Amino acid sequence: MPSSLLPTHVAIIMDGNGRWAQARGLERSHGHRAGAKNVHTIVSACARLGISYLTLYAFSTENWNRPKAEIGVLFSLLTDFLGRELAELERQNIRLATIGAIEDLPFAQRQALAHAIAKTKHNTAMTLTLALNYGGRSELVRAVRAIVDAGIPSASINEDVLAAHLDTAGYPDPDCVIRTSGEMRLSNYLLFQSAYSELIFSPVFWPDFGEAELKAALDEYAHRKRRFGKIEEPAG
Ligand code: IPE
Ligand code: IPE
Ligand code: MG
């Protein structure tokens, strides 16, 4: 694939763990475990393909409305993942980062994240960002507060200033947002940043969204015509 057709920043809404489990007569927690395993597959595949930024929606601000036990499972899978994958991230030269209100996560998760982020901060092959306690609306509110707190005069506020106060400051906007499980909505993901992202929907539940499905999604992206409001460039 020519590099211009390969997205620089891929954002994924990893959805459908619960339905994956349900379809097998299993508890939702089994779906989350299978989903966490699949993160390894997709992270490795993206790094190998030369994606520079991979941003995964792991826990939304609205996911606090789930049963406590399910939230507990998700958080314990996060620390398991970090423990298991840190060496692998190091080996693949992947930098770990987060977006979202991390300060409101439980202590054990914050500690494990801080450790993994510090260990991988000089890695350069790919930035893997986990969106945790993330919501696009909450992020915008926090950005506005930071701008006000910094005393930036209203006349100086423009789109770049706002972008620089988002959790994704310094990131390129996602070229594509992929959502698994057949749902066709953003669910509060990267609302500002996805203004011109190509939206790609796969019917496959996240635990089954493997390398072949990823490649199909990237192929779909490569065939999209991005115009950014302009008229079509004449051929040649
Ligand atoms: C995605 O799978 C994981 C999270 C949202 C944390 P779901 O748990 O939303 O699975 P479904 O959508 O209920 O099948
Ligand atoms: C979006 O999935 C959030 C994550 C994948 C972390 P949800 O399953 O929470 O979204 P809705 O509720 O179907 O919109
Ligand atoms: Mg869901």
Side-chain angles (χ1 to χ4, degrees):
M1 195 182 289
S3 62
S4 65
L5 298 178
L6 186 74
T8 301
H9 184 174
V10 174
I12 305 183
I13 303 173
M14 309 184 288
D15 197 16
N17 293 350
R19 281 164 286 161
W20 181 93
Q22 205 172 18
R24 286 164 178 70
L26 301 169
E27 305 261 342
R28 291 176 62 85
S29 59
H30 288 88
H32 291 314
R33 201 162 307 128
K37 250 182 82 184
N38 194 46
V39 172
H40 171 96
T41 304
I42 295 302
V43 168
S44 301
C46 285
R48 222 173 324 109
L49 289 166
I51 304 291
S52 300
Y53 293 85
L54 174 64
T55 302
L56 301 176
Y57 207 0
F59 192 85
S60 76
T61 48
E62 288 72 36
N63 287 149
W64 292 109
N65 296 318
R66 294 189 179 200
K68 257 206 170 93
E70 178 163 346
I71 295 171
V73 166
L74 289 168
F75 286 154
S76 81
L77 284 168
L78 172 63
T79 40
D80 289 355
F81 172 84
L82 294 170
R84 200 172 60 231
E85 295 292 326
L86 183 53
E88 191 59 23
L89 295 177
E90 287 274 59
R91 202 186 60 75
Q92 296 184 74
N93 193 21
I94 297 170
R95 180 169 79 100
L96 183 76
T98 58
I99 55 173
I102 298 306
E103 62 277 12
D104 296 331
L105 294 181
F107 179 72
Q109 279 66 32
R110 277 186 283 139
Q111 204 179 31
L113 284 165
H115 176 68
I117 289 168
K119 278 266 182 195
T120 61
K121 71 175 179 196
H122 297 300
N123 293 348
T124 53
M126 183 174 86
T127 298
L128 167 65
T129 302
L130 301 179
L132 288 161
N133 191 21
Y134 176 86
R137 290 180 171 183
S138 141
E139 179 191 39
L140 281 163
V141 169
R142 288 185 286 106
V144 170
R145 284 190 182 150
I147 288 169
V148 171
D149 289 347
I152 298 173
S154 67
S156 310
I157 299 171
N158 56 28
E159 292 179 14
D160 291 338
V161 170
L162 187 48
H165 287 83
L166 296 173
D167 297 344
T168 51
Y171 287 37
D173 286 338
D175 299 291
C176 61
V177 176
I178 300 170
R179 184 172 189 147
T180 61
S181 88
E183 305 297 352
M184 297 186 186
R185 55 178 170 261
L186 286 174
S187 300
N188 207 5
Y189 198 37
L190 299 171
L191 296 182
F192 182 89
Q193 300 89 332
S194 65
Y196 269 100
S197 302
E198 295 298 324
L199 306 180
I200 296 172
F201 299 103
S202 166
V204 175
F205 295 140
W206 172 249
D208 287 335
F209 188 84
E211 188 158 348
E213 287 75 16
L214 173 72
K215 283 186 171 153
L218 295 179
D219 191 54
E220 187 176 336
Y221 169 82
H223 286 87
R224 297 280 180 90
K225 283 214 155 49
R226 305 185 77 187
R227 284 189 285 275
F228 300 100
K230 295 178 284 200
I231 57 166
E232 196 95 39
E233 307 260 338

